[in-house]
Amino acid sequence: MDLVANNLSYKPDDQYHLNEVSFNFKEGNLYTILGRTLSGKTTLLKTIAGLLTPDSGEIEFDGKNFLKIPVWERNVAMVYQQFINYPHLNVFENIAFPLKQRKIDKSIIKEKVMDALKSVGLLGYENRKIQELSGGQQQRVSLARSLVKNAKILLLDEPLVNLDYKLREQLREEFKNLFSKGLADETILIYSTTDPRETMELNGEVIVLDEGKVLQVGPAKEIFENPNSLKVAEISNDPPMNIIEAKISDNQIRFEGIDVEAPQHLSKLTEDGLKIGLRSSDIELNENGHEFEVELAEISGSETLLHLKRGDTKIIVSIEEVLNFKIHDKVKINFKIDRAYAFHADGKLASSPFGGLNG
Amino acid sequence: MNFKHKYFFLFPGLFVLIGILIFPIIFVVRLSLSGWNSYNPGLDYIGLENYIRLFTDDPRFWESFFRLSFLSVTTVILQYVIGFALAHMVWKDIKFKRFFRVLFLVPMMTTPVIMTVIWRTFFHESLGPVNDLLSVFGVAPKWLTDPVIAKFTVIIVEVWQWTPFMFLLLLAGLLSLPKEPFLAAAIDGASPVRKFIYVTFPLMAPISIGAIIIRLIEASKIMDTVYVLTSGGPGTSTETSSFYIFIKGLREFQMGYAASMSFTYLIIMIISLTIIAKVLTKVLLKE
């Protein structure tokens, strides 16, 4: 049973929330929608769920026109970024709610709810009130509620974004386990996120969305290795990929008075307006490197993010240790230039180290 | 904090409280133990004689009390159901939402006594427009002079007058509900009807209890509608407690006896409203 969309558009004001979005989702697969905030992820999920009607376009599921089927008959489940539950019901009743909407025997409901509670690690909490739970637990309840009904389409709208760092890591692990257990071979799982790392870890088919438009579709690895444009490279990297305006001539990449020998995959690109893309992790501190000035140094977890500047060029370097820098300190860095990308002036990928569009 | 003059600053408030609440209640109790009437005005002491008379020799008071219970419970239930339906209707995005919200409040903005006079004219048996219309079908109910129908006329007028108040409270309640559970319910497969039963109604329970209790207290004072519409008639068939107490106390000037009725009525109301509030909380909030 496939979920197919054709040219979905939704434009409630003067901005597109969805702009000619098409896809073909197959059962038993995990799809990740990657995009920044306000890129249309939630709109897309709501449209699939039936909470929004697009201005134009079609959605078909199992060969039937999905738009004609009201929300409550669509057999979808959704987990929201806010932890949405029923405040007047306890944990058990919350999870049982979708089952009670169909005429299912009480003993079966109990069994299924208990199973769901077990799979999200909340056994023993069934009589608690929702307000007595922590954010992470509330989100588990709403996850359990979405699992219990065995929906054909499971939508997860940035389910981890409002949780603190530790819980996020933990729940992400649990998600991976749940998904890999083959939740159900017939389920279409759609997971939206702003976090490229989450996308890579979940390792499904990725749809990159920006301003309501699909920019690229492909396996997570492919998106990571060969982003088809500057935008995708920015969206699919955190911190965003560094973009340096440079010129390539005589086998040298030149910018801000620095000359770096061009790797083979870039050497033939001599056009004007070329942009070199380099991930923050592909730049390292090196005594013999080029001098940059520190604009800002942030420590995040066990990493240090250095915002550096030289002339008009600003770059971000991530270093896998905690280091203390002061603003205006001078540091020396080296570029792992063989991992550099090149983009044309119009933003399209010109060449990637992984073989996309070589030359 | 020990401040020498604190009683001085508390005094104005306490004085008002004593003057308008505590003194009148104590005075009514004292009055109920006296035989004050128009022949013998004065605070003499006759013991529990008034109460004995009330409990053993005055079926009219108890009839009026049960009639009041019937009228107030019926009107409040109707007001709740209709008020909820109207509030629910203009809660959603419909056309002319603002217009309807104001329209439904109009009855509350009118003067009850004047509106009742107009209703009396409406329901006039030979001259009123209601029977004029109904005469097309060959019927002419005695809206104001049939002992049974007259009760329903009182109910109609009360419901018309006070449903807007219920509407206002319930609409405020609906507008304050979180939106998220409704999104969840739709996704979870609840049709609009089930969504109402399992989400809207339970979420509205605390507000509903408040609104019902407020209206019950108000409704148990039904007086002006009865006074203008039927004057308690025909016979005593629409007479309510407050109207009967009014007749005894302010028409026949049996002040002592009216005081004993008032005090008894107050005690019964406090007890029964407490019980009703408890029961409603138990049923609607499952606590």
Side-chain angles (χ1 to χ4, degrees), chain A residues 98-272:
Chain A
L99 297 174
K100 281 190 181 154
Q101 304 311 312
R102 315 170 192 175
K103 288 187 179 102
I104 297 179
D105 196 64
K106 270 199 177 154
S107 58
I108 297 175
I109 292 186
K110 182 151 193 212
E111 197 181 306
K112 286 192 168 186
V113 171
M114 286 305 174
D115 273 355
L117 276 170
K118 203 169 156 196
S119 66
V120 298
L122 280 182
L123 265 186
Y125 285 82
E126 49 272 20
N127 292 322
R128 294 277 195 100
K129 283 193 166 178
I130 288 295
Q131 295 91 323
E132 291 169 359
L133 302 181
S134 69
Q137 289 168 332
Q138 291 186 24
Q139 191 65 313
R140 281 164 207 241
V141 172
S142 72
L143 179 67
R145 214 179 65 235
S146 68
L147 294 177
V148 81
K149 62 189 277 200
N150 262 332
K152 294 271 185 277
I153 301 171
L154 178 53
L155 307 165
L156 298 125
D157 185 16
E158 299 186 49
L160 303 178
V161 77
N162 283 338
L163 296 172
D164 63 62
Y165 179 74
K166 258 207 165 133
L167 265 172
R168 196 151 58 208
E169 298 281 297
Q170 195 186 336
L171 220 56
R172 190 188 296 159
E173 273 310 302
E174 289 175 25
F175 275 156
K176 265 199 323 198
N177 287 336
L178 272 174
F179 297 163
S180 66
K181 259 186 236 160
L183 198 64
D185 292 337
E186 308 144 11
T187 309
I188 298 176
L189 253 163
I190 307 173
Y191 189 106
S192 90
T193 178
T194 53
D195 186 352
R197 265 173 251 190
E198 228 163 272
T199 316
M200 297 307 147
E201 271 182 48
L202 292 171
N203 197 21
E205 186 90 352
V206 179
I207 293 94
V208 184
L209 204 63
D210 191 63
E211 291 176 356
K213 230 174 156 53
V214 176
L215 296 183
Q216 191 173 357
V217 181
K221 188 165 179 279
E222 172 69 18
I223 303 275
F224 185 75
E225 291 182 345
N226 293 313
N228 68 6
S229 64
L230 260 179
K231 267 262 172 66
V232 175
E234 270 173 40
I235 295 167
S236 64
N237 287 285
D238 179 39
M241 189 183 274
N242 292 304
I243 305 298
I244 303 164
E245 301 213 9
K247 227 176 148 50
I248 301 182
S249 59
D250 308 328
N251 232 359
Q252 296 285 317
I253 303 175
R254 299 169 204 273
F255 64 97
E256 302 295 348
I258 298 173
D259 284 7
V260 186
E261 193 177 339
Q264 209 197 346
H265 71 280
L266 300 182
S267 57
K268 287 176 194 154
L269 298 163
T270 51
E271 67 197 61
D272 278 338

Side-chain angles (χ1 to χ4, degrees), chain A residues 301-313:
Chain A
S302 56
E303 259 187 355
T304 310
L305 288 182
L306 283 179
H307 296 242
L308 304 176
K309 189 181 160 186
R310 175 172 172 137
D312 292 332
T313 304

